Amino acid sequence: KAGVTQTPRYLIKTRGQQVTLSCSPISGHRSVSWYQQTPGQGLQFLFEYFSETQRNKGNFPGRFSGRQFSNSRSEMNVSTLELGDSALYLCASKEGAGVATYEQYFGPGTRLTVT
Amino acid sequence: AQTVTQSQPEMSVQEAETVTLSCTYDTSENNYYLFWYKQPPSRQMILVIRQEAYKQQNATENRFSVNFQKAAKSFSLKISDSQLGDTAMYFCAFMNGGSARQLTFGSGTQLTVLP
């Protein structure tokens, strides 16, 4: 099976702009989670989607949003970009939402730079 | 809320030697999962090993094994016969069994294998 794919891999935006990142999970996986990785804050959970519904959300402002499509692909959007949003954004997928399928597999990440 | 602590920011080991990375966590839950992830310079997050809290037996995956001490809330990773390809950032992560949705990560340990 192909792994988790994320597009684009690199992105440069200006403060105040918005950005959309995409994630395609492993075939058959229905849960997608997003994480932000920065040198200062480390790895932090953004949100999780399962069957097109947001199941869980981390402690991030409303500028961070996401959605999931019927084919399980997910997008996350960040509006009104700030310099502090510069980070590696990682997407992870797993088969389902329950405890029986807890292993998450990560994509290569999207490196966002805000100038 | 759960917390994960990795007290060793950097470690090094000679090729073919054994090294142990430390991790402690804090939770009031009884049902949970613990993971070690590896992040090489490519930034791809790779699952190394997992441990279910209800299992007393320590997990083993080839050269990687864990020492899980539930009462002490300790979860260390032992890498035997270290190889140059093991050079990476290693993250300890916790997932609550009840929600089974998000990973809480430690701050990471940068491991360098020396030739």
Side-chain angles (χ1 to χ4, degrees), chain A:
Chain A
K1 285 184 181 178
V4 179
T5 57
Q6 292 186 244
T7 56
R9 294 292 311 277
Y10 302 91
L11 205 49
I12 300 175
K13 289 286 188 178
T14 304
R15 266 185 305 175
Q17 288 186 316
Q18 75 166 14
V19 67
T20 299
L21 311 182
S22 180
C23 170
S24 293
I26 292 171
S27 178
H29 284 196
R30 297 168 62 194
S31 168
V32 173
S33 296
W34 289 89
Y35 295 83
Q36 181 197 62
Q37 185 176 21
T38 61
Q41 299 298 318
L43 282 149
Q44 293 185 286
F45 170 76
L46 280 156
F47 28 64
E48 184 212 7
Y49 286 88
F50 177 79
S51 292
E52 302 179 63
T53 302
Q54 188 181 91
R55 297 287 292 251
N56 201 8
K57 190 177 191 303
N59 188 25
F60 278 82
R63 300 185 297 105
F64 292 81
S65 63
R67 60 177 175 169
Q68 187 180 35
F69 302 94
S70 59
N71 62 357
S72 295
R73 188 178 71 86
S74 177
E75 289 181 348
M76 67 163 281
N77 184 76
V78 188
S79 62
T80 318
L81 284 165
E82 300 177 0
L83 294 179
D85 297 334
S86 294
L88 180 68
Y89 290 88
L90 294 165
C91 164
S93 78
K94 63 185 178 78
E95 284 188 52
V99 297
T101 56
Y102 54 83
E103 291 184 19
Q104 295 193 11
Y105 296 90
F106 284 81
T110 293
R111 168 72 67 186
L112 171 65
T113 302
V114 182
T115 61

Side-chain angles (χ1 to χ4, degrees), chain B residues 23-97:
Chain B
C23 172
T24 59
Y25 58 94
D26 187 26
T27 183
S28 58
E29 301 294 328
N30 192 50
N31 181 27
Y32 52 88
Y33 304 87
L34 295 163
F35 306 85
W36 279 97
Y37 280 89
K38 163 185 175 181
Q39 189 177 43
S42 67
R43 311 297 275 173
Q44 176 76 54
M45 193 76 78
I46 301 164
L47 177 62
V48 174
I49 198 165
R50 64 191 180 281
Q51 174 79 44
E52 296 89 341
Y54 61 84
K55 289 186 177 179
Q56 293 186 342
Q57 186 173 5
N58 289 324
T60 300
E61 289 286 343
N62 301 313
R63 298 183 294 108
F64 300 87
S65 62
V66 299
N67 183 3
F68 173 49
Q69 302 289 327
K70 190 172 184 178
K73 295 180 182 175
S74 170
F75 182 61
S76 61
L77 174 70
K78 185 172 82 171
I79 306 174
S80 303
D81 186 25
S82 296
Q83 301 175 0
L84 296 178
D86 295 333
T87 292
M89 182 73 86
Y90 286 81
F91 291 96
C92 177
F94 173 101
M95 178 182 284
N96 188 317

